[in-house]
Amino acid sequence: MKALTWQGRRKVSVETVPDPVIQEPTDVIVRITSTGLCGSDLHLYEVLGPFLDPGDVLGHEPMGVVEEVGSEVSRLRPGSRVVVPFNVSCGTCAMCARGLHSQCETTQVHAYHSGAALFGYTKLYGQVPGGQAEYLRVPFGNSLPIPVPEGPPDDRFVYLSDVLPTAWQAVQYAEVPPGGSVAVLGLGPIGDMACRIALLRGADLVIGVDPVRERLDRAAARGVHTLDPSEAGGELVDRVRDLTNGRGPDAVIDAVGMEAHGAPVAKGLQTLVGHLPDAVAAPLMRRYGVDRLSALHLAVELVRRGGTVSLAGVYGGAADPMPLLAMFDKQIRLHMGQANVLRWVEDLRPLLTDDDPLGVDDFATHRLPLSGAPDAYEMFQAKRDGAVKILFRP
């Protein structure tokens, strides 16, 4: 089959790889019909190379049609249409029973002291082949794949794999009070969708912060008050406070993560480590790695006293300096973590209707064949051509 593979820093290519096969009686094989390019994939493209091997299959936002089922699969049959969550979770362990599917005890990666395995996401999370491919082996066929109905186009459901539950959890964790305010840092796919969800759930004021004009315009068209930090300069914090009675928003969602703009020293360190041999770089990153923290520090500065900071952007630094004095003094609550996809599916299903209150049907800005993936990665990283959400059709 054809699959998008990692080949080195800023180098991915579509290659012919072995077709997946049933390995366990509860496995299913899914023929992928749509699969997304996520901002988290860019961390693999740029920073996390020491934890990848050439030929690793990328991608963790797929959906498709079941082609084959293992002997113990009773919930699905060939021809079933499914979305595949990015967490590889069993659905039955103590963590899954608590709704913490990203901490699944069955698939935790003990070698790296990590939570649940993820599709297409480095040795840190199991090195499980991903879904930017023609076919995908999916374990736990009786509990993990999300069945969806025939009829509506893939765009209606594909975001259940990651974007929708990640954005929903970000808003849930933000604890925005009824009629309250929230600032969202970063208007990529997760930040954009978090704005939409916050408005739908009753936030009176949603402030979106991003330096990319197309992303600001897209959010503003849905009722978000947008701010460009490059235009606001040193007045960004004051402008947000002016919108929130001088206090700051009730909550701030950081949808940026480890590769934020405005952190040249950390960026330089990440680049330097990325050029070291893996045998040296991997342990260095695990013990001394730092992220670009400008977005997180801005979130702490912006949020009102007694407010909440919700982290949806991925962080991976083991030695990140945190502004604990400000966090303690302001009595900030901090809530974070990989999205527990299956925990939020039933909250989201009623919104995936023909009325389309979240705008999923036209959420994608680009739809490309899998062969276009290498160019799409470069375009998405450079934020060119209005790229916010890219879907591949293998």
Side-chain angles (χ1 to χ4, degrees):
M1 69 170 183
K2 297 294 185 181
L4 194 279
T5 64
W6 185 87
Q7 298 294 336
R9 183 172 177 267
R10 295 188 184 178
K11 184 178 181 182
V12 296
S13 63
V14 177
E15 305 290 343
T16 299
V17 303
D19 290 350
V21 297
I22 298 288
Q23 298 179 18
E24 301 291 339
T26 53
D27 288 350
V28 300
I29 304 298
V30 177
R31 175 175 56 82
I32 304 302
T33 55
S34 292
T35 185
L37 172 56
C38 178
S40 297
D41 291 325
L42 296 184
H43 302 323
L44 313 184
Y45 190 65
E46 181 71 25
V47 176
L48 295 176
F51 301 102
L52 289 156
D53 291 326
D56 282 352
V57 179
L58 305 181
H60 59 269
E61 298 186 347
M63 71 171 291
V65 177
V66 174
E67 290 284 298
E68 185 180 358
V69 302
S71 60
E72 295 182 11
V73 175
S74 57
R75 183 166 167 257
L76 301 171
R77 56 176 177 75
S80 296
R81 191 184 191 197
V82 296
V83 176
V84 182
F86 75 90
N87 318 118
V88 184
S89 57
C90 70
T92 57
C93 70
M95 289 293 102
C96 288
R98 289 174 169 81
L100 296 171
H101 300 88
S102 66
Q103 309 302 322
C104 175
E105 292 180 332
T106 304
T107 72
Q108 284 176 11
V109 184
H110 298 293
Y112 290 96
H113 308 288
S114 301
L118 308 177
F119 286 104
Y121 214 80
T122 82
K123 297 172 186 176
L124 294 171
Y125 288 97
Q127 209 169 20
V128 181
Q132 289 171 0
E134 293 180 316
Y135 295 92
L136 178 67
R137 181 183 76 89
V138 181
F140 310 114
N142 288 320
S143 57
L144 181 57
I146 303 166
V148 295
E150 297 294 334
D154 282 6
D155 291 47
R156 181 74 55 87
F157 303 114
V158 67
Y159 305 116
L160 283 173
S161 59
D162 183 350
V163 173
L164 285 169
T166 297
W168 186 273
Q169 179 172 293
V171 176
Q172 181 78 14
Y173 282 6
E175 301 176 353
V176 185
S181 56
V182 58
V184 179
L185 307 183
L187 296 175
I190 302 302
D192 186 332
M193 186 57 71
C195 288
R196 300 180 187 203
I197 290 170
L199 287 167
L200 185 72
R201 293 180 57 166
D204 184 60
L205 173 65
V206 177
I207 303 166
V209 181
D210 197 285
V212 180
R213 174 48 51 189
E214 293 93 340
R215 297 182 177 194
L216 293 168
D217 292 344
R218 177 177 158 109
R222 298 192 69 92
V224 177
H225 187 104
T226 58
L227 292 171
D228 183 341
S230 62
E231 293 179 359
E235 299 179 357
L236 178 63
V237 174
D238 290 337
R239 290 178 65 176
V240 171
R241 287 178 181 162
D242 287 344
L243 294 167
T244 54
N245 298 314
R247 297 187 185 93
D250 297 305
V252 178
I253 295 171
D254 174 359
V256 179
M258 67 170 71
E259 293 186 75
H261 294 285
V265 174
K267 180 179 179 180
L269 290 172
Q270 288 176 346
T271 301
L272 174 63
V273 171
H275 285 95
L276 295 173
D278 288 355
V280 176
L284 191 64
M285 291 180 68
R286 289 182 63 200
R287 180 166 295 186
Y288 301 112
V290 293
D291 296 313
R292 305 180 211 171
L293 295 174
S294 52
L296 177 54
H297 286 205
L298 177 61
V300 170
E301 188 175 6
L302 286 176
V303 71
R304 69 162 170 82
R305 292 180 178 274
T308 302
V309 172
S310 171
L311 300 189
V314 173
Y315 284 96
D320 286 340
M322 294 289 289
L324 288 175
L325 173 61
M327 295 168 69
F328 183 85
D329 179 65
K330 294 181 73 173
Q331 202 166 331
I332 290 171
R333 292 183 297 275
L334 184 63
H335 209 164
M336 68 188 87
Q338 296 279 10
N340 305 297
V341 173
L342 292 178
R343 165 67 180 82
W344 309 113
V345 168
E346 294 313 311
D347 293 292
L348 289 161
R349 279 188 193 274
L351 304 176
L352 303 181
T353 63
D354 288 342
D355 292 338
D356 194 19
L358 294 175
V360 296
D361 286 350
D362 59 1
F363 189 70
T365 54
H366 296 71
R367 298 170 181 82
L368 302 170
L370 190 62
S371 59
D375 290 338
Y377 267 71
E378 191 279 328
M379 174 177 64
F380 189 35
Q381 186 190 48
K383 301 179 176 65
R384 288 192 292 101
D385 300 334
V388 176
K389 191 59 187 177
I390 299 171
L391 293 179
F392 302 126
R393 311 291 198 200

